[in-house]
Amino acid sequence: MATKEEYPLKKVLIICAKGNLEDVYAALVMANGAVMEGIETKLFFTFFGLDAITKKRMNNLHTATVGNPALRMPGGLPFPTLLGMLPGVEAGVSAMMRKEMDKLDVPPVKEFLEMITAGGGEIYACKLAADMFKLKKEDFTEEVVDIITVGQLYEMSGGIGTQIIFV
Amino acid sequence: MAEKIVAGRTIQVNEEGYMTNPSEWTREIAAELAKEEGITLTDKHYAVLEFIREKALAGETLTIRKIGTSGIVDMKEFYQLFPGGPLKLASKLAGIPKPTSCV
């Protein structure tokens, strides 16, 4: 009889390259979930994803109200793109989404990063993107361990049972 | 489902070792189960376990954030008290079902 061998996940590297609310939260939920499972976790932010760790922007991320076909009005009707264009609508919709998530005990970005690092997870920023957006270590929240290159990222990715997840 | 004798009592556990009847739980059972996981329970551990039991038995969905904001332990302490998978481990030792929340 063939035996089925299981190789448990030991380490995850989660890369977040987008700065909208839903993609940042996808990365944060996955990272925090991994930490909670006792999996070694490294979270790497690049390009627009840097918004999630930039002090000035991290707690005010938006979800797109234009060009987002899955967005619905409360009640389920499609969200009209023309409405999404109006000033303040995107901010309002995003604030509402953050509020709904808070009800489910999904914390604001800063607190989420604190939770991940409290459990031993590590947060990194991408050097190339930081240079491009002219961001320095002091622009980032203190949970960020370091600004690293893609080479350094791969150096961290060794070992059996490691997975890289790109958000 | 299986039966297991822990601290002189017979308890019902599922295939993952979670107790299926929370009313069978005692502090002695928790201590014994913790020993299997390599943990010696302190008052701080018990305070967390009792908090978890109280919330779970009241039907609340447990999240790691609720524990971090409970005033009993902060997040870092929680990870130190129950190393590895703190919410799962603490739930197991508290005699309640495996947590079903994503946060």
Side-chain angles (χ1 to χ4, degrees), chain B:
Chain B
M1 199 95 92
E3 282 188 350
K4 189 170 167 183
I5 298 173
V6 181
R9 285 163 187 265
T10 308
I11 57 168
Q12 310 287 323
V13 292
N14 69 8
E15 61 283 352
E16 289 183 296
Y18 288 84
M19 290 173 66
T20 49
N21 184 356
S23 62
E24 290 176 344
W25 186 87
T26 64
R27 286 169 70 97
E28 292 71 37
I29 288 174
E32 197 81 8
L33 292 175
K35 221 178 277 170
E36 289 175 16
E37 306 281 349
I39 300 171
T40 308
L41 293 187
T42 62
D43 288 347
K44 202 91 181 168
H45 285 97
Y46 279 116
V48 174
L49 294 183
E50 268 151 25
F51 173 80
I52 287 179
R53 279 181 65 78
E54 190 187 307
K55 294 285 168 198
L57 298 179
E60 279 189 45
T61 308
L62 271 176
T63 63
I64 197 159
R65 189 192 190 196
K66 270 200 189 110
I67 298 177
T69 55
S70 64
I72 300 169
V73 283
D74 65 23
M75 206 65 80
K76 215 171 214 161
E77 289 173 307
F78 185 47
Y79 274 98
Q80 281 160 358
L81 289 175
F82 302 95
L87 194 60
K88 274 163 79 176
L89 187 51
S91 298
K92 199 180 214 175
L93 302 184
I96 59 160
K98 188 173 174 176
T100 52
S101 154
C102 287
V103 282

Side-chain angles (χ1 to χ4, degrees), chain A residues 137-159:
Chain A
K137 185 84 169 50
E138 58 267 27
D139 296 313
F140 296 129
T141 178
E142 67 264 21
E143 285 77 25
V144 175
V145 192
D146 204 359
I147 303 174
I148 62 169
T149 64
V150 65
Q152 286 171 293
L153 173 80
Y154 282 125
E155 283 168 15
M156 294 177 184
S157 316

Side-chain angles (χ1 to χ4, degrees), chain A residues 90-109:
Chain A
E90 191 178 274
V93 167
S94 303
M96 203 177 90
M97 285 191 45
R98 286 196 294 268
K99 213 171 88 194
E100 288 301 312
M101 287 195 292
D102 195 66
K103 280 189 204 157
L104 294 172
D105 247 341
V106 180
V109 175

